[in-house]
Amino acid sequence: RRVHGGKPYPYLLMSHPNQETVRNVGPYIRNHCKLFQKFLLTHAKVLETTGVLETVTNGHVESSNTHKTGDVLVESVPGNQYILSATDFARYYDVNHPMDPDSNRDSSFKKYKPLGIICAMQITEQVQKQFFPNGSFTAKWGSQMRVNPGDFIAMPHPEYDEVYRIEEKIFGETYRKLEK
């Protein structure tokens, strides 16, 4: 049984659709990752309706996520939108200090400073074949998320309680490696 500070690692106690991915690839990521922090201010708005959002990256559907009223629509770089629950948004962004949106945004968007650190690694063909032979995995919200060599696979640090993919170009535009 794996433990962290005398307690089981959080990823061993989870109950969401991504937990199998976390159990299978989480230890590998933890052993091969580097720590990064998101630096780019992010636009977001609270959603007032229910619906489905397809996240499209480089013309390909990366994932699909059903949202409900109160969830948050996040856009880190123009055109890259995804959904977070209000709880997860507050975990990853400074919700206490929203800023006015850029002038090309409608006023329902605000800008937020990202918080937290991730443990991330770039996917090689070998890693894809070993852990993602079908080219995807189940995301925390239950849909399939594409993964390709060159993309980054990440986990929040130090919680390590979910696995997600960040497209290579977007990763380079939004994250910085932390120096030890």
Side-chain angles (χ1 to χ4, degrees), residues 6 37 42 47 61 65 79 121 132 135 143 150 159 161 169 176:
Q37 187 163 32
T42 299
L47 295 168
V61 175
N65 191 352
M121 61 175 283
F132 312 107
S143 72
E159 298 87 356
D161 57 354
K169 183 176 183 282
R176 286 191 189 122

Side-chain angles (χ1 to χ4, degrees), residues 21 25 123 127-137 147 153:
T21 302
V25 73
I123 301 285
V127 169
Q128 184 183 26
K129 286 178 187 173
Q130 182 177 352
F131 294 105
F132 312 107
N134 296 327
S136 67
F137 62 93
V147 62
I153 197 80

Side-chain angles (χ1 to χ4, degrees), residues 26-47:
Y28 185 87
I29 295 170
R30 288 175 52 95
N31 288 330
H32 295 87
C33 73
K34 300 210 178 332
L35 297 180
F36 294 86
Q37 187 163 32
K38 194 175 210 176
F39 65 88
L40 191 68
L41 293 177
T42 299
H43 285 88
K45 71 176 182 176
V46 176
L47 295 168

Side-chain angles (χ1 to χ4, degrees), residues 13-180:
L13 305 174
M14 295 177 305
S15 61
H16 57 68
N18 189 237
Q19 67 184 347
E20 184 178 338
T21 302
V22 174
R23 283 191 194 114
N24 290 339
V25 73
Y28 185 87
I29 295 170
R30 288 175 52 95
N31 288 330
H32 295 87
C33 73
K34 300 210 178 332
L35 297 180
F36 294 86
Q37 187 163 32
K38 194 175 210 176
F39 65 88
L40 191 68
L41 293 177
T42 299
H43 285 88
K45 71 176 182 176
V46 176
L47 295 168
E48 298 175 359
T49 60
T50 60
V52 176
L53 175 74
E54 286 188 334
T55 298
V56 178
T57 307
N58 294 329
H60 301 284
V61 175
E62 176 180 310
S63 185
S64 179
N65 191 352
T66 302
H67 60 83
K68 61 186 181 307
T69 302
D71 285 346
V72 181
L73 174 65
V74 182
E75 186 171 88
S76 56
V77 296
N80 179 249
Q81 296 182 332
Y82 53 95
I83 302 292
L84 289 175
S85 69
T87 301
D88 282 345
F89 186 75
R91 175 179 168 192
Y92 299 129
Y93 294 92
D94 181 0
V95 297
N96 296 317
H97 300 96
M99 295 167 258
D100 289 335
D102 291 343
S103 59
N104 61 344
R105 300 281 176 159
D106 74 55
S107 62
S108 63
F109 278 91
K110 297 290 183 200
K111 275 199 299 196
Y112 296 88
K113 179 182 177 188
L115 303 172
I117 297 170
I118 63 168
C119 171
M121 61 175 283
Q122 196 164 27
I123 301 285
T124 62
E125 286 186 25
Q126 178 184 349
V127 169
Q128 184 183 26
K129 286 178 187 173
Q130 182 177 352
F131 294 105
F132 312 107
N134 296 327
S136 67
F137 62 93
T138 303
K140 182 178 179 180
W141 49 91
S143 72
Q144 291 299 297
M145 178 173 267
R146 281 185 326 105
V147 62
N148 297 307
D151 293 341
F152 283 78
I153 197 80
M155 299 178 82
H157 171 80
E159 298 87 356
Y160 303 106
D161 57 354
E162 69 175 294
V163 171
Y164 53 93
R165 167 224 184 232
I166 306 166
E167 189 271 336
E168 180 179 17
K169 183 176 183 282
I170 291 171
F171 188 88
E173 294 175 358
T174 57
Y175 285 89
R176 286 191 189 122
K177 184 178 171 190
L178 294 177
E179 300 301 323
K180 292 186 178 191

